[in-house]
Amino acid sequence: MDEFSRIQYWNAKRQEQALKVSLGVKVDIGDDAAVVALPYEVHRDQSQYESLYTVDTMVEDIHFSSETTDFEHIGYKALAANLSDIAAMGGIPLHALIAISIPDHYSADHVMRIYNGIYDCANRYKVAIVGGDTTSSPHSLVLTITVIGMVEQGKAILRSGASVGDIVFVTGVPGQSAAGLHLLQHANTSQYPVALVDSLIRAHQQPEPHLQAGRLLSTSNACHALNDISDGLISELSEIAKASHVDIVIDENQIPLSDSMSQYAGKSGQSMFDWVLYGGEDYILVGTASREQFASIEASFREQQLQLYAVGEVIAGNGEVWMDSWNDGLQLQKRNQIMNRGYNHFT
Ligand code: ADP
Ligand code: MG
């Protein structure tokens, strides 16, 4: 197959024409560039929109290994990670471009399976794939996805908006992806209950971008800062604290845990708090919101059956993250500074 036939093979007839039309796509894969109507032409409502642009690269043996990740999941997760960045701005994703560099030992069908994952995610979250680029690669697969989205003018939720007195929250249970990876790498999965294995492995392989939660937070007008957890809870909190020139205190007892994760940590003798605080790739959201309006945000999350947990508060400071631990009598035992040791490619 020549290059163009391969691109066709991976991309043709994957998405409903109606979806593409509704997203303003006029010319998609096949020409030199895609032609797309600007968001405010497509969504003719009262709001003025701004565009969001984000790109993420996944490199084999750095971000995933083909030993613990199926081809489908490589594609699914690469797009999900990008959509999560749009969620973390409070936005709506619209279009995506897929750049893929393929080593010799990958067949066209291996790549087809990667695309199956990409389109699975794209169709689920109503994102149109409008183009990309294809090259060979000397050793590892490299998959770079660009997503374009939109948000109402002035409503993007930045990292820098946290203010003293805010409640700090998460929109799910952190650490489960790291626990799932540990399970895939170290454990004989048949030793554990099927439900436990499924939930942890799914958290690692097919994370759900919290787009609906991101929209609730941006439309609430009460969310002041937001990140998605790609590099670990503490790392994301530390970014918010630094960008906002505040300190953040989380309460050990308020951090949500899951039964699967605690059971697996117990049985495998691992430290669950390492996963919870430093594990990455959960793609849940972490942010801060006005204390006065937190109850109404909680109510809107409950109404849509979405998770939301208060885990701490914003205090005056200069970019540090602290954790309160409690003794049995529930008197404040100690407040420890938590050092950031999320994954960094260049240290
Ligand atoms: P050009 O030489 O103009 O860059 P390409 O041959 O790279 O053209 O791409 C032809 C068309 O196919 C373009 O519309 C491009 O966006 C699309 N395309 C190329 N590679 C991919 C890919 N891996 N996934 C989706 N679309 C792709
Ligand atoms: Mg090209």
Side-chain angles (χ1 to χ4, degrees):
M1 260 194 282
D2 66 13
E3 189 183 308
F4 190 71
S5 323
R6 289 219 243 172
I7 295 167
Q8 282 295 110
Y9 174 60
W10 300 324
N11 291 284
K13 301 207 177 69
R14 294 290 203 128
Q15 299 197 284
E16 300 279 347
Q17 205 47 39
L19 174 69
K20 298 220 163 173
V21 170
S22 75
L23 293 169
V25 180
K26 303 200 161 152
V27 175
D28 75 67
I29 296 169
D31 218 305
D32 297 310
V35 182
V36 175
L38 294 171
Y40 56 79
E41 286 177 36
V42 184
H43 297 261
R44 289 172 198 279
D45 57 29
Q46 306 293 32
S47 321
Q48 287 287 316
Y49 291 96
E50 291 169 332
S51 297
L52 301 170
Y53 300 81
T54 180
V55 59
D56 263 304
T57 297
M58 303 226 325
V59 180
E60 184 172 8
D61 298 325
I62 293 181
H63 299 94
F64 64 90
S65 116
S66 32
E67 276 161 36
T68 50
T69 319
D70 295 335
F71 294 113
E72 286 80 0
H73 297 140
I74 295 169
Y76 186 97
K77 196 163 164 176
L79 181 54
N82 272 278
L83 298 184
S84 179
D85 282 321
I86 299 287
M89 301 303 284
I92 301 168
L94 302 167
H95 312 112
L97 297 159
I98 314 296
I100 188 163
S101 301
I102 309 166
D104 271 353
H105 62 275
Y106 276 65
S107 69
D109 281 299
H110 289 150
V111 179
M112 187 63 166
R113 290 176 56 194
I114 294 173
Y115 267 86
N116 290 343
I118 292 174
Y119 277 103
D120 187 12
C121 186
N123 289 327
R124 186 168 186 150
Y125 295 103
K126 307 267 180 281
V127 175
I129 309 280
V130 295
D133 196 31
T134 309
T135 75
S136 60
S137 165
H139 306 292
S140 306
L141 183 92
V142 181
L143 179 57
T144 300
I145 301 188
T146 303
V147 171
I148 293 102
M150 66 177 191
V151 67
E152 293 81 357
Q153 210 163 64
K155 292 293 171 66
I157 310 170
L158 310 183
R159 293 173 179 178
S160 50
S163 56
V164 173
D166 280 359
I167 302 254
V168 177
F169 64 82
V170 290
T171 63
V173 176
Q176 298 203 103
S177 175
L181 178 61
H182 188 277
L183 181 60
L184 285 163
Q185 287 175 332
H186 299 96
N188 173 0
T189 51
S190 65
Q191 290 176 333
Y192 297 94
V194 176
L196 175 156
V197 171
D198 281 358
S199 68
L200 297 181
I201 289 183
R202 174 171 269 273
H204 180 68
Q205 292 181 330
Q206 286 175 281
E208 301 288 352
H210 282 199
L211 286 160
Q212 208 188 335
R215 290 301 291 160
L216 278 186
L217 291 165
S218 74
T219 52
S220 77
N221 290 324
C223 178
H224 296 157
L226 196 62
N227 254 356
D228 65 319
I229 301 192
S230 50
D231 299 329
L233 177 63
I234 297 303
S235 170
E236 308 301 340
L237 287 172
S238 158
E239 283 180 8
I240 292 174
K242 287 201 174 80
S244 303
H245 307 289
V246 294
D247 277 9
I248 285 177
V249 190
I250 53 174
D251 179 338
E252 184 181 33
N253 286 348
Q254 283 187 283
I255 299 173
L257 305 170
S258 75
D259 288 347
S260 300
M261 187 167 63
S262 0
Q263 261 190 51
Y264 178 61
K267 289 192 179 155
S268 65
Q270 294 301 304
S271 150
M272 179 166 49
F273 267 90
D274 261 15
W275 296 332
V276 171
L277 301 180
Y278 304 108
E281 302 193 343
D282 288 302
Y283 301 114
I284 62 176
L285 302 177
V286 53
T288 84
S290 142
R291 181 176 296 271
E292 291 70 35
Q293 281 154 281
F294 195 70
S296 99
I297 299 179
E298 279 183 309
S300 66
F301 271 67
R302 212 175 304 120
E303 201 173 291
Q304 303 210 10
Q305 298 181 325
L306 295 172
Q307 301 175 61
L308 184 73
Y309 306 96
V311 295
E313 65 177 332
V314 178
I315 59 170
N318 219 344
E320 274 143 22
V321 179
W322 305 82
M323 185 159 77
D324 285 347
S325 313
W326 304 78
N327 63 17
D328 289 341
L330 289 185
Q331 276 122 1
L332 183 58
Q333 191 180 29
K334 51 183 184 309
R335 175 167 287 184
N336 285 322
Q337 189 177 350
I338 308 289
M339 301 320 276
N340 174 18
R341 52 180 179 84
Y343 191 78
N344 185 314
H345 288 265
F346 299 104
T347 52

